[in-house]
Amino acid sequence: MKSKIWVIALFVIIFLAGCATKEEVDGQKNGEKNRNQSEENKVEKEANGKLTVTDDLGNVMILEKTPERIVVLSPSHLNLLYDLGGEAVGRTTLSPDRIPEGAEDIADIGHHTNVNVEEVLALDPDLVIGNTTLHKKLIPILEDSHIPFINLDMILLEDVKRNAKLVGEVIGDREQAEEPIAELELKITTIQEKINQYRGKEEPKKVAIFNITPNNVTVNRENTIPGEVSQILGLTNIAEGVPALEENPTQTAFSLEKVVEEDPDMIFVVHHGEKSKAEERMDIDMKNSPAWSTLTAVQNDQVHFLPENLFLSNSGLNYDESIQYLAKLVYPKAFNDVE
């Protein structure tokens, strides 16, 4: 078995050489559907209990029985699995505060952008769950090992609902996802009702959402977590409708001149890696320019760094926490009674 694993691992290294993404997000680069993807993932259950699963890439997997050894390749999918009462035998590297209760001691298979396939195979999984953008390169490897592998989008709110139903059915019963989905929708409605008294009294606040890595700055469009949350809250995103980068449909190019022209009321910053590195990049690309200090958001101290666990990774059935976090920044008076 070990020799087989080493051979496959060597093949993986060759196969994936040069393919690792620079994104340290949970698939934000996949904001627009691949043309070859199915419109909606689904599960069909046969009388004998066998499941036919169609994932977001349109690939069809046959599960002979309810999986008992699940390996999850991304943080968002792991949270969703555990929120629905499931368990895994392997997960990616996570900081302690991001590990779901019960998943602390399961096998670590490496960072979700650089999964250790040898470790995955050694766990002998009967199901692997991955992200459509980050992990589809692993499909032929897992197929050769006869391991069922489903890839799911996990960016926007509708992705949460679809995937909760699919994962719920795969691990037991589709209906076990219905209640938490209904609870999520109620929480979002409650937040919207809280802010409604403050919306409409003035022009919608204009926001810019910077996506910062140690190497560059881009601007989040509407098909990202902070972009969608801004829409839900009735904000105007300066990048909405702006042409996307060819290599990344969730982002548009950063231009300080354009930001100054739009003059947003608030600036949100989503950063990859250490906050200090993002601040260094901002110094280089923004703060060293005299134009930066002329921005309304800067003058009013409305530049906010957003937490990674809520705005880089999809928080799944806790998506309302992302919405409430931003709502409290934009409409603080509506949440005086909330800690």
Side-chain angles (χ1 to χ4, degrees):
M1 175 67 179
K2 287 186 177 180
S3 60
K4 179 182 178 182
I5 290 174
W6 276 109
V7 170
I8 293 174
L10 179 61
F11 173 69
V12 171
I13 292 170
I14 296 171
F15 183 80
L16 296 181
C19 295
T21 176
K22 291 182 180 179
E23 295 294 327
E24 292 187 0
V25 301
D26 217 10
Q28 275 199 4
K29 291 185 73 173
N30 196 40
E32 293 182 353
K33 302 291 185 184
N34 184 297
R35 291 179 182 177
N36 295 323
Q37 287 179 216
S38 59
E39 293 184 359
E40 184 171 344
N41 58 41
K42 60 183 179 180
V43 180
E44 297 173 342
K45 190 171 185 177
E46 299 180 15
N48 61 3
K50 183 184 298 185
L51 297 179
T52 302
V53 183
T54 304
D55 70 8
D56 282 328
L57 291 174
N59 295 327
V60 178
M61 296 290 119
I62 305 297
L63 301 180
E64 300 290 342
K65 60 183 181 64
T66 301
E68 299 175 348
R69 297 187 60 79
I70 302 175
V71 172
V72 185
L73 306 184
S74 68
S76 297
H77 298 81
L78 185 70
N79 285 330
L80 185 62
L81 176 66
Y82 276 78
D83 284 343
L84 293 171
E87 294 182 346
V89 296
R91 59 165 174 79
T92 53
T93 304
L94 294 168
S95 58
D97 61 314
R98 297 189 65 197
I99 301 175
E101 184 177 354
E104 299 89 348
D105 298 325
I106 64 177
D108 186 324
I109 56 171
H111 195 272
H112 65 273
T113 61
N114 190 24
V115 172
N116 187 326
V117 180
E118 181 185 352
E119 293 287 345
V120 174
L121 297 175
L123 291 170
D124 193 25
D126 52 10
L127 177 64
V128 176
I129 301 175
N131 175 277
T132 51
T133 298
L134 297 179
H135 305 124
K136 62 183 178 182
K137 296 291 186 182
L138 301 178
I139 291 174
I141 315 302
L142 296 176
E143 279 185 350
D144 285 348
S145 298
H146 307 290
I147 297 173
F149 183 29
I150 58 175
N151 286 273
L152 304 173
D153 286 335
M154 195 66 165
I155 304 174
L156 305 179
L157 180 58
E158 284 305 312
D159 295 330
V160 174
K161 297 176 184 178
R162 290 184 305 108
N163 292 336
K165 293 174 183 177
L166 182 144
V167 173
E169 189 155 0
V170 166
I171 65 174
D173 186 354
R174 181 186 180 95
E175 291 183 2
Q176 73 185 78
E178 299 294 344
E179 183 175 346
I181 290 173
E183 291 177 357
L184 172 60
E185 291 174 337
L186 178 60
K187 289 176 181 177
I188 293 173
T189 299
T190 301
I191 294 170
Q192 291 175 316
E193 290 174 348
K194 271 183 172 292
I195 67 174
N196 276 346
Q197 60 181 308
Y198 298 95
R199 294 172 60 177
K201 294 183 179 180
E202 55 188 34
E203 288 295 316
K205 289 190 177 182
K206 189 183 295 186
V207 300
I209 310 165
F210 297 153
N211 182 71
I212 300 182
T213 73
N215 300 317
N216 67 3
V217 179
T218 54
V219 185
N220 277 273
R221 299 175 70 239
E222 63 272 18
N223 51 352
T224 62
I225 298 169
E228 180 182 52
V229 171
S230 295
Q231 281 187 328
I232 291 171
L233 297 177
L235 309 178
T236 299
N237 178 1
I238 67 168
E240 185 168 345
V242 176
L245 296 174
E246 183 177 350
E247 70 275 13
N248 189 345
T250 70
Q251 304 294 315
T252 189
F254 169 77
S255 163
L256 183 56
E257 181 181 354
K258 179 67 174 177
V259 175
V260 171
E261 180 184 330
E262 293 288 344
D263 193 24
D265 301 296
M266 305 183 78
I267 293 173
F268 302 132
V269 179
V270 179
H271 63 96
H272 305 245
E274 297 177 9
K275 181 181 177 182
S276 61
K277 297 295 184 182
E279 290 173 328
E280 290 176 10
R281 175 50 54 185
M282 290 182 71
D283 289 340
I284 295 171
D285 290 353
M286 306 172 204
K287 295 182 181 179
N288 288 339
S289 169
W292 174 255
S293 61
T294 68
L295 292 171
T296 297
V298 174
Q299 293 178 349
N300 293 334
D301 196 26
Q302 290 297 319
V303 179
H304 303 277
F305 282 75
L306 303 181
E308 175 185 343
N309 64 314
L310 295 180
F311 293 96
L312 271 184
S313 293
N314 187 304
S315 51
L317 291 168
N318 297 308
Y319 200 84
D320 61 290
E321 294 180 9
S322 302
I323 298 172
Q324 178 157 304
Y325 186 96
L326 216 61
K328 289 171 72 173
L329 292 177
V330 179
Y331 306 103
K333 292 181 180 179
F335 296 89
N336 286 335
D337 59 335
V338 180
E339 294 184 0

